[in-house]
């Protein structure tokens, strides 16, 4: 059977979760259509041993690559180099796939030529065992389900995320883009860069991915986000650089898409800095971040309150701070920091 999809698994010290991930993928009806590559990113636990057991049992399906630790981004870059099936999907080693949706995805991939495939996904909160369905459009309007559509018809309402994405391998390889290595939150780059040359999208309505959240060790945990905020900002600066370097090649739809998406990320970063416990520190870092955006991309700097990715309110507040030389920031920080923290936890 011809293989149509490579599943790349980023695995670092994943001995407690990797079995769960691999079992969810190895569905008899479709597994011969898959190539599953586990990239062991310098783990110090039994990740390699667990992966090798699956290689031994499913030698035509599962492979393992061992490499020095380079972070999630290095795994993505490595996988894009070696993937040789028509489509590629990234799955983290502490997540799973949904059986019905995954079977549907693989079957659809065998008959499509779309550049990108988007599918809903679940977020499963380990703390309260709640499972929430998440879409990939920021609109409740009807859309063309299970059909290939043009990017320029949907560019204003797409909300791409790693968990919703399956890419054409040709699109990935021809782009030449690499995401940041030794850095958290680079999945935002992975979710955006490759849309630059996207023309067609297959819109699916069955959830494929299950994103397990609630662990204190995850990078999206609020305390980890605050500790690693410099890495979140590094990703934002990379996105800004990407926009500035490639906007000459963007048509109107792509330019608006990237302005919306990137200013949405910037708005989240302003909120992250606002969530710092010390008001003076929060003000200083927010001003510094704001000035860096102004220096590197005056266009995005001015657009920060115009995007439609949930950042308009934050952008308007930032523009008020700019006009008032950031006066009143510490008072508002005192009044609203807790609500911002709770918002980040929920988001």
């Amino acid at each position: 059977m011809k293989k149509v999809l490579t599943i790349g698994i980023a695995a670092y010290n994943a001995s407690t979760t990797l079995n769960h991930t691999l079992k969810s993928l190895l569905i008899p009806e479709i597994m011969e259509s898959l190539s599953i590559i586990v990239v062991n990113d310098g783990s110090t636990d039994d990740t390699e041993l667990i992966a090798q057991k699956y290689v031994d049992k499913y030698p035509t399906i599962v492979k393992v690559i061992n490499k020095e630790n380079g972070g999630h981004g290095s795994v993505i870059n490595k996988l894009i180099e070696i993937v040789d099936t028509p489509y590629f999907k990234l799955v983290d080693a502490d997540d799973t796939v949904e059986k019905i949706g995954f079977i549907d995805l693989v079957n659809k991939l065998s008959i499509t030529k779309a550049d990108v495939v988007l599918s809903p996904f679940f977020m499963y909160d380990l703390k309260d065992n709640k499972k929430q369905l998440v879409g990939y459009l920021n609109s409740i309007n009807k859309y063309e389900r299970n059909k290939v559509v043009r990017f320029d018809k949907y560019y204003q309402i797409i909300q791409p995320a790693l968990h919703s994405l399956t890419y054409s391998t040709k699109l990935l390889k021809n782009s030449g883009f690499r995401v940041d290595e030794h850095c958290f939150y680079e999945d935002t780059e992975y979710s955006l860069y490759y849309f630059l040359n996207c023309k067609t999208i297959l819109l699916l309505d069955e959830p494929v991915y299950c994103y397990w959240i609630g662990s204190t060790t995850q990078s999206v945990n609020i305390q980890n986000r605050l500790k690693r905020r410099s890495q979140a900002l590094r990703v934002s600066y990379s996105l800004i650089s990407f926009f500035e370097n490639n906007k000459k090649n963007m048509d109107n739809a792509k330019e608006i898409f990237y302005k919306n998406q990137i200013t949405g990320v910037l708005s989240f970063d302003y909120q992250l800095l606002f969530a710092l416990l010390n008001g003076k520190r929060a003000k200083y870092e927010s001003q510094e971040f704001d000035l860096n955006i102004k220096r590197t991309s005056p266009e995005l700097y001015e657009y920060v309150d115009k995007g439609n990715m949930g950042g308009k309110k934050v952008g308007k507040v930032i523009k008020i701070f700019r006009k008032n030389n950031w006066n009143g920031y510490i008072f508002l920080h005192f009044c609203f920091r807790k609500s911002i923290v709770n918002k980040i936890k929920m988001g």
Side-chain angles (χ1 to χ4, degrees):
M1 184 179 292
K2 184 178 179 181
K3 295 185 181 296
V4 297
L5 174 66
T6 293
I7 297 294
I9 300 178
Y12 173 71
N13 286 352
S15 61
T16 60
T17 59
L18 184 57
N19 271 310
H20 196 207
T21 302
L22 287 168
K23 285 179 181 178
S24 77
L25 291 164
L26 291 162
I27 301 170
E29 294 95 316
I30 47 111
M31 64 184 187
E32 292 297 335
S33 297
L34 302 178
S35 174
I36 300 173
I37 304 176
V38 180
V39 180
N40 174 31
D41 190 36
S43 298
T44 56
D45 63 1
D46 290 335
T47 294
E48 180 185 355
L49 179 63
I50 292 168
Q52 189 58 49
K53 288 180 180 179
Y54 283 88
V55 174
D56 295 341
K57 188 173 182 180
Y58 304 98
T60 63
I61 302 169
V62 183
K63 302 175 184 177
V64 62
I65 293 174
N66 298 303
K67 59 183 282 297
E68 292 184 3
N69 181 260
H72 196 261
S74 72
V75 173
I76 292 174
N77 292 331
K78 179 66 176 179
L79 284 164
I80 291 174
E81 286 178 10
I82 64 176
V83 61
D84 60 1
T85 56
Y87 286 91
F88 173 77
K89 187 170 186 64
L90 192 68
V91 176
D92 285 339
D94 54 357
D95 293 331
T96 55
V97 296
E98 300 289 305
K99 182 176 181 179
I100 293 174
F102 191 50
I103 292 174
D104 181 62
L105 170 69
V106 174
N107 289 334
K108 292 284 195 334
L109 292 180
S110 65
I111 57 173
T112 190
K113 293 183 179 180
D115 294 324
V116 176
V117 182
L118 291 173
S119 53
F121 63 94
F122 286 113
M123 292 180 67
Y124 191 102
D125 194 328
L126 293 166
K127 291 181 180 178
D128 54 19
N129 291 320
K130 287 186 178 179
K131 199 173 186 180
Q132 176 187 355
L133 182 64
V134 181
Y136 51 79
L137 302 175
N138 68 349
S139 170
I140 60 174
N141 295 330
K142 292 182 180 180
Y143 63 96
E144 298 164 274
R145 298 169 183 269
N146 299 306
K147 289 186 177 180
V148 175
V149 302
R150 291 191 60 81
F151 170 86
D152 56 16
K153 186 175 180 180
Y154 281 81
Y155 70 95
Q156 297 237 47
I157 59 173
I158 297 171
Q159 292 189 128
L162 180 153
H163 324 294
S164 63
L165 284 164
T166 303
Y167 281 122
S168 156
T169 299
K170 184 178 179 181
L171 183 78
L172 294 175
K173 288 182 178 293
N174 288 349
S175 74
F177 298 130
R178 294 175 63 86
V179 302
D180 280 323
E181 301 189 2
H182 296 285
C183 181
F184 286 93
Y185 315 115
E186 87 303 320
D187 59 291
T188 306
E189 299 170 46
Y190 174 76
S191 301
L192 293 178
Y193 286 172
Y194 305 102
F195 274 88
L196 182 64
N197 298 313
C198 170
K199 294 180 180 178
T200 57
I201 304 172
L202 172 59
L203 304 176
L204 300 183
D205 58 3
E206 282 289 346
V208 172
Y209 198 108
C210 188
Y211 174 35
W212 295 70
I213 63 171
S215 168
T216 57
T217 61
Q218 287 180 309
S219 61
V220 293
N221 173 274
I222 179 62
Q223 294 306 321
N224 290 333
R225 281 189 184 277
L226 290 172
K227 289 177 183 176
R228 297 165 178 160
R229 62 189 182 276
S230 63
Q231 296 184 51
L233 301 190
R234 174 183 166 187
V235 167
S236 289
Y237 295 140
S238 292
L239 291 171
I240 292 170
S241 178
F242 167 86
F243 177 77
E244 290 298 317
N245 291 335
N246 292 284
K247 62 183 180 182
K248 62 181 178 296
N249 300 319
M250 297 179 187
D251 59 21
N252 184 63
K254 290 286 169 60
E255 184 173 344
I256 293 174
F257 170 77
Y258 279 112
K259 283 182 177 180
N260 286 341
Q261 296 294 332
I262 295 172
T263 54
V265 174
L266 300 182
S267 295
F268 181 85
D269 287 340
Y270 284 114
Q271 293 177 76
L272 183 63
L273 296 175
F274 199 93
L276 289 167
L277 185 60
N278 185 291
K280 290 183 178 180
R281 168 55 60 181
K283 178 180 178 181
Y284 171 77
E285 292 193 21
S286 296
Q287 284 183 285
E288 184 178 44
F289 178 54
D290 194 59
L291 286 172
N292 282 336
I293 297 171
K294 185 177 183 179
R295 281 193 291 264
T296 53
S297 180
E299 192 171 355
L300 292 174
Y301 178 83
E302 290 299 328
Y303 197 83
V304 73
D305 64 334
K306 297 181 178 65
N308 64 353
M309 291 297 123
K312 283 187 178 181
K313 290 183 179 179
V314 175
K316 290 183 185 300
V317 172
I318 295 302
K319 285 210 166 184
I320 292 171
F321 282 140
R322 290 171 182 170
K323 289 180 180 179
N324 295 311
N325 197 30
W326 295 78
N327 290 323
Y329 184 98
I330 294 176
F331 173 74
L332 289 176
H333 177 272
F334 176 79
C335 295
F336 296 108
R337 176 188 172 270
K338 286 185 179 179
S339 64
I340 293 292
V341 169
N342 289 332
K343 183 179 178 182
I344 293 173
K345 284 180 178 179
M346 292 188 293

